[in-house]
Amino acid sequence: MIVYSEITAIKKKIKSLKKDLSIGLVPTMGALHQGHLSLIKQAVLENDVVVVSVFVNPTQFDKKEDLDNYPNTLENDLSLLESVNCDIVFTPNPKEIYGNNIISENFDFDGLEFQMEGKFRKGHFNGVGTIVKRLFEIITPTNAYFGEKDFQQLQIIKKLVEKFNLQVNIIPCEIFRESDGLAMSSRNVRLTEKHRLAAPFIYKTLLNAKELFGTKNVEEVIKWVENEFKNHPLLELEYFEIADEKTLNPIKKVISGQKYRAFIAVFAGEIRLIDNISL
Ligand code: PAF
């Protein structure tokens, strides 16, 4: 496994690879967990060369304290990456990516960026779009892997590829969960013990909502979920939405043949957790 932190060096390496080799890219912000490793293992199976980027992208954080508190576990990340046969790691610093001007591009994602996370995290998706586009330019991957836990991000990246006509296949990967159902996230390690014990309630509620979706109308399902959280002593609901999987527009009525998902964001103490389920 080779680690690069400079763009010119990694570009040179990529250029030296045989033209017919497939390159799989897994972009991460480090603090790797089993969820990331499952993406990387899939990339290893499906590509000749696997590149993992580890970069805590400053422009996608709307709160400075979130950026400051983001876990940095590079040494451990590198040994995990070695253990799953990653070939190349890219660990640039912000200056390498942004120079002296740490700002994001402005994108039009056809409204996807204004739904759910976009309402609560201003500028977040411009930051994500900026770094992902930059990584695609540097690494020129054949396939790039993204987890469905950040489903809105995944749809936005597909839109980015479509709008800029980028030559990369976006591969969605299913949510990886702890044995109690909590979706894996780098934030989980920051949960207090009592909030960690409470957090599986989020997925349980999504499963129940999925069942209710078959028998009750959309408004009733939403009300039911909101009530579940009103009565919860430790978890605070930020949003629960049922939306069209492609447009992410919230729905009022079910139209047959369309695909829907339920999306949720919850505060467990200071820590904000998101999850979603296909309905
Ligand atoms: O999902 C993430 O970890 C980040 O948003 C990503 C895609 C690595 C971009 O910084």
Side-chain angles (χ1 to χ4, degrees):
M1 189 173 86
I2 322 173
V3 183
Y4 295 99
S5 53
E6 285 173 8
I7 294 172
T8 42
I10 194 164
K11 273 183 133 175
K12 198 170 160 200
K13 172 72 187 168
I14 301 279
K15 219 176 157 194
S16 76
L17 297 172
K18 280 208 197 100
K19 291 282 157 293
D20 56 348
L21 292 186
S22 59
I23 303 174
L25 170 66
V26 185
T28 81
M29 298 208 295
L32 301 182
H33 50 69
Q34 290 303 320
H36 293 112
L37 297 187
S38 74
L39 265 64
I40 298 163
K41 285 179 193 163
Q42 186 174 336
V44 168
L45 284 176
E46 295 176 356
N47 298 275
D48 298 312
V49 179
V50 170
V51 182
V52 175
S53 59
V54 177
F55 177 63
V56 181
N57 174 36
T59 61
Q60 71 187 76
F61 288 83
D62 59 331
K63 291 196 187 102
K64 193 179 173 306
E65 71 261 29
D66 260 3
L67 174 60
D68 294 343
N69 289 330
Y70 203 84
N72 177 342
T73 57
L74 186 60
E75 217 171 293
N76 188 50
D77 292 346
L78 291 177
S79 52
L80 287 172
L81 289 172
E82 186 102 62
S83 77
V84 290
N85 299 322
C86 167
D87 301 297
I88 298 174
V89 189
F90 183 41
T91 59
N93 62 30
K95 196 163 181 195
E96 187 68 15
I97 295 290
Y98 290 101
N100 289 325
N101 205 7
I102 303 193
I103 52 163
S104 42
E105 268 182 64
N106 272 318
F107 294 97
D108 172 4
F109 294 122
D110 292 347
L112 291 174
E113 70 274 36
F114 302 126
Q115 304 294 351
M116 298 176 295
E117 292 299 287
K119 287 185 198 145
F120 295 92
R121 301 174 73 188
K122 289 275 166 277
H124 171 66
F125 290 118
N126 278 331
V128 171
T130 304
I131 184 60
V132 171
K133 186 162 162 272
R134 189 92 181 90
L135 288 170
F136 287 172
E137 283 159 4
I138 297 167
I139 313 291
T140 61
T142 322
N143 302 305
Y145 295 77
F146 295 90
E148 287 187 337
K149 185 177 79 67
D150 298 297
F151 196 85
Q152 186 173 8
Q153 166 174 285
L154 172 68
Q155 297 302 60
I156 280 178
I157 289 164
K158 284 186 189 161
K159 184 64 80 180
L160 177 85
V161 167
E162 180 191 311
K163 289 226 158 183
F164 289 87
N165 197 17
L166 305 175
Q167 299 308 303
V168 50
N169 304 311
I170 302 303
I171 315 286
C173 304
E174 269 180 30
I175 301 177
F176 212 74
R177 297 184 181 279
E178 300 285 355
S179 55
D180 57 14
L182 176 64
M184 288 205 183
S185 161
S186 304
R187 293 169 183 231
N188 293 355
V189 291
R190 292 176 51 211
L191 291 166
T192 64
E193 204 180 330
K194 64 178 183 181
H195 288 112
R196 173 64 191 84
L197 285 172
F201 183 78
I202 300 168
Y203 183 51
K204 267 192 208 123
T205 308
L206 284 182
L207 286 172
N208 287 332
K210 183 178 169 107
E211 234 176 272
L212 286 181
F213 188 67
T215 57
K216 296 200 180 292
N217 69 39
V218 173
E219 204 180 315
E220 286 169 329
V221 179
I222 293 175
K223 282 245 158 67
W224 180 82
V225 171
E226 286 173 352
N227 250 320
E228 286 296 285
F229 281 93
K230 255 182 215 141
N231 300 327
H232 200 290
L234 290 171
L235 302 175
E236 195 192 322
L237 181 67
E238 187 168 54
Y239 66 75
F240 172 79
E241 282 194 12
I242 295 179
D244 180 286
E245 216 174 81
K246 201 147 185 249
T247 64
L248 302 182
N249 286 331
I251 58 154
K252 292 210 161 69
K253 260 191 174 165
V254 175
I255 300 168
S256 72
Q258 299 291 99
K259 282 190 177 169
Y260 301 112
R261 247 172 211 264
F263 297 86
I264 195 164
V266 170
F267 274 98
E270 304 278 286
I271 309 303
R272 187 172 180 278
L273 301 171
I274 61 170
D275 202 346
N276 67 81
I277 195 166
S278 141
L279 295 173

